[in-house]
Amino acid sequence: MLNTDIYGEFETAWCPGCGDHAILKSLKQALAILEIEPHQYVHCSGIGQAAKTPHYLRCNCFNGLHGRSLPPAQAIKLANPDATVLVSSGDGCSYGEGGNHFLAAIRRNVDITVIVHDNQIYGLTKGQASPTTSEGSKTKSQPWGVTNQPFNPMAVAVAMRANFVARSFSGMMEHLTDMIVQAVRHPGFSLVDVLQPCVSFNKINTFSWYKERCKPIDPAHDPTNWEAAMQVASVFGQTIPVGVIYKNDRPPLGARYKTLAAGPLHERTPNLAAVERIMQTFA
Amino acid sequence: MQLTAATILIGGEAGQGLATVGHLLTKTLVRAGYDVVVTQDYQSRIRGGHNTFAIRTTLPGEGPRVAAPSASVDILVALNQETIDLHTPALTPGGVLLMGQAMSAHDVNALAVPYKELIPKPIFENVAALGVLCGLLGLDRAHPARLVTEQFQKKGQDVIDQNLAVLAKSHDWVEQQPHGFGPLAKAPARGEHLALNGNEAVALGAMAAGCTFCSYYPMTPATSVPMMLAAHAETVGIVVEQAEDEIAAVNMVLGASYAGARAMTATSGGGFALMVEGVSLAGMTETPLVVFLSQRPGPATGLPTRTEQADLTLALYAGHGEFPRAIFAPGTIEQCFHLTVHAFNQAEKAQTAIFVLSDQFLADSVRNVEPFDLAALPPAVLPDRSDDAPESYQRYAVTESGVSPRRLPCAGQSLVVLDSDEHTPDGHITEDLAVRVTMHEKRLRKHALLRTDAIPPDYDGPPTPDLLLACWGSTLGAVQEAAALLRAEGQAVGVLHFTQVWPLNPDHFLPRFAQAGKVVMVEGNHAGQLANCIRMETGFAMTQCITRYDGLPFTARYILDRL
Ligand SMILES: Cc1ncc(C[n+]2csc(CCOP(=O)(O)OP(=O)(O)O)c2C)c(N)n1
Ligand code: SF4
């Protein structure tokens, strides 16, 4: 195991008490366990409070656009199969603005790990409803109460047979660390949805609200059993099961690109002999 | 009398094989040593509708190379009655109509081809049509025979023999007809030429530039570029990924580029509209981005399969905020190739978004070109491969040129931190407004670099012309031909063609404008977008702007009629 000091110590712009602090700590812990040094991985993010995470770590960082963390992350992994690629993103960023990319990324199954800081609210833009905000919640932008039914990322990911689907809670740091470690180790698209209190804007889903409900999944649960996983994934209420919900071993996309067998794309030089041959077919 | 030029227009429904006949004849003509320029007009449907494939062929060597469609037709090949009804008015007085036996001509020199007698099965109709056309034009029989042999190589000797028999029989048949057409004068011997369309040349250019990653979402008329890259992906070493949408496509390209791939995307106006935020991301993160933007008429879905040059301002202003970019606009097949190679190098050199702006006419226009000299290409501009002092590496180090050494993540010990927010030289988010000013100015300094490298417009004509015809991109051929016709009448006419439309260096063209009597811009949009851009940059107002926006490419006739 590496020393977590190598990931640095930075001043953050997060509110005191925000769940993001604990997620960052667990993340460093997981990286140390995985023995991934800062120069060996790329941390991608979109925009939002969660998306600031890579700035608070020593790492290679691609902090792109709101909702757009997944397309660059997948491309980075395809361009450099040697790199470990992680994504930190919010529930608005991943399931709202980036919803199409989320579905496509599951289908594409590139070997990346996505950690969604799911605080059931928009933090950075100050408290509007997110796709996971529960029905009836009153927010500044929905003073009459949210009328949309919440998005269930676990059920969707399991339904689509994502390669690795897990849930954790920022108040269970050891558990969270373990989920991240398992997710990174698992080939293909891995999703860890992390419930996280937003102390400033979400007065409903507070630390104690999550604490009371989050319960480790029954150890007898077989994450390779899709039907059982669908059952676990559909539970979100008085109890919220945390742990590995589903696992699949579909080969990651990169493995199916013959071009990538020769290693990172940045090492290539133009193959002019091949271009010459292709050009001759037009004679 | 022997002909030095001819226009063959094949018309029919989509799915009738007109493009197959067209391509076979085009290749035959190129191999026989003639120059060709193909114009394809098709509707947004897979079967039915009315489509045309027009080949304009000329004997090389006399005057400027013809590179535009012709308004008139010498051989009209009708695969259905509608073609006869629509295109007979364009038939020249000495021209000939080739049609099926069940069709009726309108009082023109017509040959009804007895396909039933010439071919054993309908599947041979394309080859029969080729034989008849080659006979009409008086082409050497060896060229089509060799082409047909190559075409059916994979199907075995039996199929080859059957096709060769049809070819010969059709050729014999037409020679016995009193058609009074042609023949084409024999072309002088020349080295091998390729028959390439604009998009094929762009794809070859990308491969020659060492493109290793292409992500795209299909949209006519850009799609054939990624499709060709996909076809050769494993041979050349390219990852081609069809994205879920254009937003993903451009963001993937940026991710791949960050990781060190030479990456591009290809799209048309509607798709590009979705990429705009990503273009801005390229500007802020200083990530090389090559966008192949093939124009078609808008707004919105517009005319999906027709041509226009109306996305210049979109490319120029795409993205919020201010950042440098360059826009190249090829007008020939050679330029499609070389400007694509150049785009990759400029994207890496200036670490920003670079555009290759083409259009449907050029995309589908097959022409003959000499094989590109790959060995003579400039060396590829590549990222900084050193890993010295990784602890102090700063992705956005402030430099005099504005360009910071670009290292690659996971390729050494250096950490590469990139951010869409305003950032410090080491790449981290900042709200320090003094840093903002420093970084903004650093990025914008790269504009000067792109401007210094600006490719001067090509000029052809006398030093002080009475009339200067300015144009950009694919409009070149029609403008050159209009100029040639006016010169033949004794007028002093110059042609100025912009292959780079941004940034502009006024020293490259203002003196020319000043020396000309009248300056007329010819461009395929309603507003006169390049004319406006030149006026904005220099204050120079064109005497006249000839525009076209009916979905069809310019012809010399169209320009002359409006002068
Ligand atoms: C295209 C675009 N639309 C909107 C925004 C504004 N915006 C920034 S963060 C954000 C929501 C963030 O919420 P979430 O993803 O849940 O992350 P959190 O801040 O809660 O961690 C929005 C709408 C933006 N930056 N870009
Ligand atoms: S606003 Fe909410 S999510 Fe953002 S830092 Fe504060 S507590 Fe965390």
Side-chain angles (χ1 to χ4, degrees), chain B residues 320-472:
Chain B
H320 50 293
E322 302 159 300
F323 54 94
R325 71 189 74 202
I327 308 172
F328 301 113
T332 65
I333 305 300
E334 290 86 347
Q335 289 167 358
C336 283
F337 177 84
H338 289 292
L339 289 175
T340 302
V341 174
H342 187 55
F344 276 91
N345 286 332
Q346 291 302 91
E348 185 62 51
K349 186 172 175 185
Q351 301 177 9
T352 191
I354 307 289
F355 298 86
V356 178
L357 195 56
S358 181
D359 54 42
Q360 180 267 330
F361 166 53
L362 195 53
D364 294 326
S365 185
V366 182
R367 301 178 198 173
N368 54 298
V369 292
E370 281 182 33
F372 306 118
D373 184 357
L374 302 182
L377 291 177
V381 182
L382 296 170
D384 174 17
R385 305 316 303 263
S386 70
D387 194 28
D388 308 337
E391 288 301 325
S392 58
Y393 173 67
Q394 295 194 319
R395 171 65 189 95
Y396 300 108
V398 178
T399 62
E400 208 170 308
S401 67
V403 180
S404 316
R406 189 171 90 92
R407 293 188 183 174
L408 306 176
C410 303
Q413 298 284 325
S414 303
L415 296 181
V416 188
V417 180
L418 172 155
D419 189 19
S420 66
D421 289 87
E422 190 55 87
H423 40 255
T424 49
D426 64 1
H428 286 292
I429 288 188
T430 185
E431 293 200 48
D432 180 329
L433 304 186
V435 173
R436 153 69 181 181
V437 172
T438 306
M439 295 309 284
H440 199 47
E441 288 173 356
K442 165 195 131 58
R443 288 188 292 269
L444 290 171
R445 279 201 289 280
K446 299 187 294 181
H447 174 77
L449 191 141
L450 290 170
R451 196 171 170 280
T452 305
D453 285 357
I455 303 170
D458 294 313
Y459 181 74
D460 176 40
T464 55
D466 296 331
L467 171 66
L468 182 98
L469 292 172
C471 62
W472 60 279

Side-chain angles (χ1 to χ4, degrees), chain A residues 13-21 49-50 119 121-124 196-202:
Chain A
W14 290 323
C15 309
C18 172
D20 283 331
H21 297 286
Q49 300 289 35
N119 53 15
I121 202 81
Y122 282 9
L124 191 59
Q196 166 228 345
C198 169
V199 294
S200 299
F201 299 111
N202 189 339

Side-chain angles (χ1 to χ4, degrees), chain A residues 10 37-47 51-52 54-80 82-84 97 100-105 107-108 110 124 253 256-260 264-283, chain B residues 27 31 150 192-197 200 204 207-210 212-213 228 232-245 247-249 251-262 277-278 281 285 287 320 337 371-375 377 380 382 385 391 408-421 427-429:
Chain A
F10 297 81
E37 293 183 51
H39 69 276
Q40 294 173 318
Y41 88 105
V42 181
H43 207 120
C44 297
S45 65
I47 294 296
K52 292 176 181 166
H55 286 288
Y56 308 143
L57 275 163
R58 282 189 66 243
C59 62
N60 291 292
C61 157
F62 189 112
N63 182 185
L65 299 170
H66 185 50
R68 317 296 168 210
S69 55
L70 293 177
Q74 295 166 87
I76 290 165
K77 181 67 189 179
L78 290 177
N80 188 349
D82 297 346
T84 299
E97 190 88 331
N100 190 23
H101 307 314
F102 177 69
L103 299 181
R107 294 179 50 222
R108 198 175 277 121
V110 177
L124 191 59
L253 175 65
R256 282 178 278 146
Y257 265 118
K258 284 208 186 116
T259 299
L260 290 173
L265 296 179
H266 68 76
E267 291 171 357
R268 314 294 166 89
T269 48
N271 186 348
L272 295 180
V275 180
E276 184 75 46
R277 282 196 301 276
I278 295 162
M279 192 164 72
Q280 279 310 318
T281 63
F282 291 92
Chain B
K27 218 161 177 169
R31 287 184 178 189
E150 284 169 19
E192 178 190 81
H193 274 209
L194 313 173
L196 269 185
N197 70 31
E200 287 161 347
L204 279 178
M207 292 188 250
T212 47
F213 188 95
M228 181 162 154
H232 301 291
E234 288 176 9
T235 327
V236 185
I238 312 182
V239 170
V240 181
E241 183 65 15
Q242 182 177 326
E244 53 273 25
D245 55 32
I247 297 173
N251 279 279
M252 279 189 171
V253 168
L254 292 176
S257 181
Y258 163 75
R262 275 166 96 76
E277 195 197 20
L281 180 63
T285 60
T287 306
H320 50 293
F337 177 84
F372 306 118
D373 184 357
L374 302 182
L377 291 177
L382 296 170
R385 305 316 303 263
E391 288 301 325
L408 306 176
C410 303
Q413 298 284 325
S414 303
L415 296 181
V416 188
V417 180
L418 172 155
D419 189 19
S420 66
D421 289 87
H428 286 292
I429 288 188

Side-chain angles (χ1 to χ4, degrees), chain A residues 283, chain B residues 24 27-28 30-32 130 140-153 160 164 167 192:
Chain B
L24 286 170
K27 218 161 177 169
T28 307
V30 172
R31 287 184 178 189
L130 178 68
D140 186 338
R141 287 176 186 240
H143 295 295
R146 197 154 51 88
L147 187 63
V148 164
T149 307
E150 284 169 19
Q151 286 285 313
F152 297 103
Q153 200 84 66
I160 294 175
L164 287 176
L167 190 69
E192 178 190 81

